[in-house]
């Protein structure tokens, strides 16, 4: 190349960025995020798999690899029965939640329904209430000695239901999971084209016929998808099976692990590992199936810019039946049990045999606030939720940036890793991390084991997919040309993020903070293995008090947790709104 | 301002070859346009120059600096180029002044100098008084000028523009075009401009590169591109063109299929018996006024007027020539019936291909009896 005129030096040359060891600084960041996620996700999984093939606890020397544990799992430990129970429980739960939610979605979204908006809003309730608390509530009202049960038994002479059974567990779990099915179906119904229905109407089809031949086929994808989601969630849930099944000896996956890991005097780690490995296999396949279906479904969804407002059908007298049915679900399923539990927290005795107003008291709360351990557990919960929310949201933001906005070679892997904990039941995260910490090098394990940090890691891992999922759509709405403009103007990847994207993503980050805070506040299942006397949180304390028969204090703690969540969400909402208005 | 050298540039997305072996050199201070239909790879070429895409192979150099070569890749932030995007890409949370300040802050220019440069740059685009507005408070035309000011504020070595006028309405676009041309000439900055609008390309450019499906088909001045298109495709894309199929019968003669008549064409066409297309621009066909005789050495064609339309400055006629419809531009009104057309041999370009137009367009231009 021959340049005749000497090149003019740039008047304002672009900055030079440091390249430690010859790698651009964004590469360090990308690999760092990948590595951190990989360690976090693999930490509970690898020791579990390893333990499942080991003939002794993995921290003991001289272990020999064999499949012995799997054999013993099905012969001595009676895991076959557990598999069957789990399948029955998950199947029934799924069926019931479809029965509750699908008609409800159709009626609320597609027909003229008095109070439709109120019902739609009411379906948000599980955001505020953990399934552990719902379980307490149901027992308080419908359990063998529950408020309603006693009354019904007095009138009929017998109790026509038994909450402490697989159907009983399934009904409660279905009430808790129905809102998920509802959300998917309602979204699909809102997006679908109203002109189909209009066409059917013009052809003279009546409302019921339209429902059957036009609307229901549209619902097939969300039904299939949400069914799988519900199956995988009921396979991993701990709360309801623990409260309802444990006292009568009905074991499902999670309670099997709970009983064998915690309640036996000398836990058989091999069997525990083998069971965990099998359960992981089930949940991972379910989540993989789910991801595949969702991908296919998205190809068929055609969102036409501004959605056409669906025409609402008039059901005539049937609408009053629908209102009654939905009210029944909301009131009997959620309002009465939760309301009852809150009420319970203010009385000494809670039974229809004696007016509970006669024993109104603050003693349940007093007990909690006089014992430092109980106060500590509330403080611990808040600490875990607050620190965890910041860390998880930060990590989610980084993961989204790398997965969606970089040319990193392993961007895809980062996304999969961030979403992987979806497939990890809380109790397995607990067991796996427990082993990982026992195994960790440099005595790191003993430093973390039993502290709040262990809980923050475990809970945070579980909340990571929600964090990722809540930030990811926002970044897709920010045009890529905004990044490109910054890059051409002289900002490297890191600076593009700090100077441009971070500001644009602030609302999404705030949303993720709120979501993960609430999620972490409700979480407890990893803590049954990871916690210690010093690191009790509201959830584990409630379980402890429950076992002691101290139901009044359980009700008080549950009410406090609900109050904290509601206050936090309310304040956060006000704060965000204020900022947006300004 | 340095020259831009792109050689043997290729880009593949998976199996899809979007750019194939593209080579061109842009001279210092030149206004160079990449022109081509949608999807032909113009934006990809520009993105490769900017560093936003990594070419599969090839090299890119600006002045003495090599940006891309085997083993070398300078990221976009290291290239000191200015770029205006189709969507303008103004950062929505920053005011106009802050948008312009960002590249300067990144370059650690001191505060006082920043203010001077911003004021100067905004004055260039005539928007000095809108400094404190946010992008959403500006009209499309103003946003486009702010984007340009932001791309110029740090005196980049080359200016890259990706269809910057396509979001403006027709009238504004014409004004903006003239303004942009003046500004570029004033600054003398080497400019690469991407557009699919041939009129825009002809009006603005010093030189045009016509692209088609990832290939660079022709590079030349607007006059060369328009008057001597290298291929039938270029002729069809740049300006309008009548295509008449025929067979070569002599050194500079083609017998037309539609009338059987022999046409004198530019010499040097393909050999005897070859199938060719004769391309004639509508404005190069002249309608002979009645009572005059045709000059010697000019092709004479007889055609019937089908329809005529008034398009403002001129009239446009659809004529039937044998079984073919051709278009002619003229400033004479109200022609009907049979007319005589004159076509200078130099206006008859010959291309060795017969399938120039897509089939359905061909069907529209064929008259059945
Ligand atoms: N990231 C990508 N992955 C796969 N294919 C791509 C990608 N980006 C561009 N292409 C393909 O490359 C081809 C050229 O794209 P390019 O954007 O350069 O076209 P263009 O000439 O700028 O078109 P337009 O005038 O519509 O902007 C297109 O066929 C496009 O589908
Ligand atoms: Mg383009």
């Amino acid at each position: 190349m021959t340049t005749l005129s000497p090149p003019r030096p740039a008047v304002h040359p672009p900055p030079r960025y440091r390249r430690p060891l010859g790698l651009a600084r964004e590469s360090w960041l990308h690999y760092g995020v990948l590595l951190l996620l990989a360690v976090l996700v693999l930490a509970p999984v690898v020791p579990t798999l390893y333990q499942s093939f080991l003939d002794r606890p993995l921290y003991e020397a001289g272990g020999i690899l064999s499949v012995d544990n799997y054999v013993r799992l099905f012969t001595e430990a009676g895991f076959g029965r557990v598999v069957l129970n789990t399948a029955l429980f998950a199947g029934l739960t799924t069926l019931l939640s479809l029965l509750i939610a699908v008609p409800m979605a159709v009626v609320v979204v597609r027909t003229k329904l008095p109070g439709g908006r109120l019902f739609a809003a009411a379906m948000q309730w599980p955001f505020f209430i953990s399934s552990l608390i719902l379980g307490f509530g149901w027992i308080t009202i419908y359990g063998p000695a529950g408020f309603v049960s006693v009354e019904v038994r007095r009138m009929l002479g017998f109790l026509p239901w038994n909450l402490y059974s697989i159907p009983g567990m399934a009904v409660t779990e279905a009430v808790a999971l129905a809102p998920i099915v509802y959300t998917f179906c309602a979204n699909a119904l809102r997006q679908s084209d109203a002109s189909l229905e209009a066409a059917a109407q013009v052809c003279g089809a009546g409302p019921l016929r339209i429902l059957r031949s036009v609307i229901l086929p549209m619902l097939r994808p969300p039904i299939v998808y949400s069914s799988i989601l519900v199956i995988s969630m009921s396979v991993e849930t701990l709360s309801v099976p623990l409260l309802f099944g444990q006292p009568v000896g009905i074991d499902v996956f999670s309670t099997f692990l709970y009983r064998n890991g915690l309640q036996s005097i000398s836990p058989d780690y091999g069997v525990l590992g083998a069971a965990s490995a099998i359960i992981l296999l089930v949940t991972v396949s379910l989540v993989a199936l789910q991801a595949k279906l969702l991908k296919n479904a998205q190809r068929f969804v055609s969102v036409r810019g501004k959605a056409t407002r669906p025409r609402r059908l008039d059901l005539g007298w049937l609408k009053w039946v629908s209102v009654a049915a939905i009210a029944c679900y909301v009131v009997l399923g959620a309002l009465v049990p939760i309301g009852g539990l809150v009420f319970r927290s203010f009385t000494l005795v809670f039974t229809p045999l004696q007016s509970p107003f006669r024993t109104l008291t603050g003693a349940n709360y007093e007990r909690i606030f006089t014992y430092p351990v109980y106060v500590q557990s509330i403080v611990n919960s808040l600490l875990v939720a607050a620190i965890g929310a910041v860390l998880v949201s930060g990590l989610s933001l980084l993961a989204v940036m790398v997965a969606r906005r970089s040319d990193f070679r392993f961007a895809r892997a980062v996304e999969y890793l961030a979403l992987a904990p979806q497939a990890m039941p809380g109790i397995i995260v607990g067991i796996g991390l427990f082993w990982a910490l026992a195994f960790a090098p440099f005595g790191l394990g003993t430093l973390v084991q039993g502290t709040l940090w262990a809980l923050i890691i475990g809970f945070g891992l579980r909340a990571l997919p929600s964090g990722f999922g809540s930030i990811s759509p926002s970044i897709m709405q920010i045009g890529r040309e905004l990044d490109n403009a910054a890059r051409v103007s002289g900002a490297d990847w890191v600076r593009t993020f700090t100077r441009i994207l971070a500001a644009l993503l602030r609302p999404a980050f705030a949303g993720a903070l709120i979501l993960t805070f609430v999620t972490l506040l409700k979480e407890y299942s990893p803590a049954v293995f990871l916690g210690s006397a010093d690191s009790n949180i509201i959830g584990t304390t409630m379980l402890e008090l429950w076992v002691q028969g101290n139901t009044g204090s359980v009700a008080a703690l549950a009410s406090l947790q609900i109050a904290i969540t509601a206050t936090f969400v309310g304040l956060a909402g006000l704060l965000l709104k204020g900022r947006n208005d300004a | 301002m340095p020259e831009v050298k792109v050689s043997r540039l290729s880009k593949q997305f998976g199996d899809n070859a979007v750019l194939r072996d593209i080579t061109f050199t842009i001279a210092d201070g030149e206004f160079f346009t990449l022109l081509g239909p949608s999807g032909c790879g113009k934006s990809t070429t520009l993105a490769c120059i900017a560093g936003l895409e990594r070419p599969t192979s090839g090299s890119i150099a600006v002045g003495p600096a090599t940006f891309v070569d085997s083993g070398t890749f300078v990221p976009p932030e290291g290239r000191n180029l200015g770029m205006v995007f189709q969507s303008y890409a103004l950062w929505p949370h920053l005011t106009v002044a802050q948008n312009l300040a960002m590249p300067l802050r990144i370059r650690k220019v001191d505060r006082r100098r920043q203010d001077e440069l911003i004021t100067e740059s905004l004055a260039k685009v005539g928007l000095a008084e809108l400094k404190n507005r946010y992008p959403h408070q500006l009209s499309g035309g103003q946003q486009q000028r702010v984007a340009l000011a932001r791309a110029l504020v740090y005196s980049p070595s080359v200016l890259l523009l990706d269809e910057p006028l396509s979001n403006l309405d027709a009238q504004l676009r014409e004004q903006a075009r003239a303004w942009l041309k003046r500004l570029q000439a004033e600054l003398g900055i080497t400019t690469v401009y991407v557009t699919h609008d041939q009129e825009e390309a002809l009006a603005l450019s010093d030189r045009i590169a016509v692209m088609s499906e990832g290939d660079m088909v022709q590079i030349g001045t607007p006059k060369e591109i328009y008057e001597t298109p290298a291929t039938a495709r270029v002729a069809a894309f740049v300006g309008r063109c009548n295509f008449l199929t025929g067979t070569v019968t002599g050194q500079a003669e083609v017998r037309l299929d539609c009338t059987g008549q022999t046409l004198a064409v530019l010499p040097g066409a393909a050999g005897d018996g070859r199938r060719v297309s004769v391309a004639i621009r509508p404005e190069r066909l002249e309608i002979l006024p009645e009572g005059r005789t045709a000059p010697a050495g000019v092709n004479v064609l007889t055609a019937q007027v089908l329809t005529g339309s008034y398009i403002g400055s001129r009239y446009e006629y659809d004529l039937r020539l044998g079984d073919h419809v051709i278009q002619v531009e003229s400033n004479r009104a109200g022609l009907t019936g049979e007319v005589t057309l004159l076509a200078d041999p130099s206006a008859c370009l010959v291309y060795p291909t017969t399938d120039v137009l897509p089939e359905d367009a061909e069907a529209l231009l064929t008259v059945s009896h």
Side-chain angles (χ1 to χ4, degrees), chain B residues 169-350:
Chain B
D169 64 46
Q171 200 181 354
L172 193 54
R173 188 150 61 209
E174 215 138 299
Q175 291 169 2
R177 191 194 287 170
W179 171 81
L180 182 63
K181 173 86 179 163
R182 276 198 313 270
L183 185 67
Q184 192 269 343
E186 215 171 276
L187 298 175
I189 185 170
T190 311
T191 302
V192 189
Y193 189 90
V194 161
T195 180
H196 62 258
D197 182 337
Q198 39 107 5
E199 243 180 81
E200 210 167 278
L202 294 173
L204 281 170
S205 319
D206 294 324
R207 276 193 311 148
I208 298 174
V210 184
M211 298 182 66
S212 168
E213 292 173 9
D215 291 312
M216 197 142 274
V217 198
Q218 186 177 8
I219 302 178
T221 62
K223 198 164 151 65
E224 282 165 0
I225 300 274
Y226 190 80
E227 291 180 2
T228 51
T231 69
R233 224 172 245 278
V234 176
F237 185 70
V238 182
R240 289 182 312 151
C241 213
N242 295 300
F243 288 98
L244 301 168
T245 55
T247 313
V248 177
T249 53
Q251 177 60 357
E253 278 180 353
V254 172
R255 195 176 57 243
L256 296 181
D257 293 345
C258 54
T259 56
Q261 187 181 0
T262 302
L263 219 56
V265 297
L266 275 178
D272 267 12
R274 284 280 286 280
R275 301 282 302 157
V276 291
S277 283
V278 180
I280 311 173
R281 300 253 183 227
E283 71 278 8
R284 297 296 301 271
L285 282 168
E286 198 184 325
I287 298 177
L288 185 71
E290 251 167 282
R292 296 250 211 106
T293 43
V298 175
N299 294 303
V300 179
L301 300 161
T302 308
Q304 286 82 40
V305 176
L306 292 171
T307 56
S309 48
Y310 178 57
I311 54 160
S313 51
R314 284 182 309 277
Y315 293 86
E316 207 176 82
Y317 293 98
D318 273 12
L319 308 177
R320 184 164 78 205
L321 184 68
D323 64 351
H324 220 77
V325 178
I326 59 171
Q327 291 174 327
V328 174
E329 271 177 22
S330 165
N331 33 27
R332 295 175 49 198
L335 295 172
T336 49
E338 197 164 275
V339 293
T340 308
L341 293 177
L342 303 180
D344 196 87
S346 70
C348 301
L349 309 163
V350 177

Side-chain angles (χ1 to χ4, degrees), chain B residues 74-89:
Chain B
V74 179
E77 61 269 20
R79 299 191 180 195
N80 203 39
L81 307 175
M83 184 159 182
V84 176
F85 296 84
Q86 191 170 358
S87 66
Y88 310 141

Side-chain angles (χ1 to χ4, degrees), chain A residues 37 75 98 245 270 413 447 500 517 526:
Chain A
L37 285 173
T75 52
L98 288 179
L447 219 63
I500 304 293
F517 180 88

Side-chain angles (χ1 to χ4, degrees), chain B residues 34-169:
Chain B
L34 299 171
L35 174 66
S38 185
C40 67
K42 309 175 297 280
S43 296
T44 309
T45 310
L46 205 65
C48 286
I49 299 176
L52 298 168
E53 292 282 0
R54 225 174 245 265
T56 313
S57 65
S59 69
I60 299 173
V62 170
T66 302
F67 287 164
V68 179
D69 208 339
S70 51
T72 315
F73 180 82
V74 179
E77 61 269 20
R79 299 191 180 195
N80 203 39
L81 307 175
M83 184 159 182
V84 176
F85 296 84
Q86 191 170 358
S87 66
Y88 310 141
L90 298 177
W91 299 307
H93 61 299
L94 301 178
T95 62
V96 168
Q98 288 167 334
N99 260 281
L100 266 68
M102 184 64 74
L104 300 174
R105 278 172 55 195
I106 291 169
R107 287 170 166 72
K108 302 209 167 66
V109 177
D110 71 71
R111 260 330 253 270
R112 189 98 67 60
R113 184 87 186 108
Q114 274 186 27
D115 289 343
E116 284 168 23
L117 286 169
I118 291 169
T119 312
E120 195 180 301
S121 187
L122 281 175
K124 258 183 230 157
V125 301
L127 288 178
E129 70 287 5
L130 299 186
K131 259 169 111 136
N132 294 321
R133 295 249 192 114
Y134 281 92
H136 66 90
Q137 298 167 323
L138 301 175
S139 74
Q142 290 167 338
Q143 288 183 24
Q144 179 254 336
R145 284 188 282 163
V146 172
L148 192 63
R150 185 180 67 185
L152 291 172
V153 72
Y154 51 91
S155 317
S157 56
V158 177
L159 182 61
L160 309 174
L161 305 161
D162 192 352
E163 311 214 20
L165 306 185
S166 67
N167 283 342
L168 304 181
D169 64 46

